[in-house]
Amino acid sequence: MLDLKSERLSLKSIAALKFEELRMLDADPDVMKYTSKGEIRTEAESKVWMQKILNHHKTHGFGMMPFYLTNSEVFIGVAGIKYLENTNLPELGYRLVKQHWGNGYGTEIGRLLINYARNTLKFDKLVAVTKPENIPSQQILTKCGFQFKGIDFYYKTEVNYFELDLK
């Protein structure tokens, strides 16, 4: 069972993922405006998304996972490494509950996952994408060492594409 910890955060195994927590993220318009569709998900769409997360873990042995404040059950969001749509490129991804934005948790979980990708998964490179208007997420990626490489098209939308060399 995978449990990764930083100073303030604990990334739990996929077994800890609760539908209600994922649903909380999916139902928040401020969180979802930065996803591919830019809209909240219906409950049925959230169930499909959760199944995709579970399938990715089953197929690849890694993926999105829930994270919490260390030594508590305070849900902060989901984060992980998954394959970028229609590629074999490992992508760093994260979504945080809105009330926890601006506390440095995105950068902290990003750095934890970068170490996991480098030292455990043995990847040579990570990628990340954001919507062009998602400046806070781009700042997190830059703080974590990612470099902006240009505009691309993934998840049915135009995105800013970032890379991080892990060698």
Side-chain angles (χ1 to χ4, degrees), residues 24-41:
M24 179 180 15
L25 290 169
D26 285 355
D28 186 323
D30 290 328
V31 172
M32 295 306 291
K33 73 180 174 185
Y34 295 123
T35 64
S36 57
K37 232 169 84 172
E39 302 170 356
I40 63 170
R41 288 189 175 123

Side-chain angles (χ1 to χ4, degrees), residues 1-5 10-16 57 61-66 79-80 113 116 120-121:
M1 177 185 277
L2 172 74
D3 281 336
L4 299 173
K5 291 186 182 201
S10 294
L11 188 65
K12 301 292 186 178
S13 73
I14 188 60
H57 273 273
F62 62 90
M64 300 298 283
M65 298 169 280
L113 285 164
Y116 171 65
T120 302
L121 299 177

Side-chain angles (χ1 to χ4, degrees), residues 47-66:
K47 287 178 182 175
V48 169
W49 174 235
M50 184 156 182
Q51 193 57 54
K52 284 182 182 180
I53 292 171
L54 296 171
N55 290 344
H56 192 283
H57 273 273
K58 188 174 183 180
T59 303
H60 303 290
F62 62 90
M64 300 298 283
M65 298 169 280

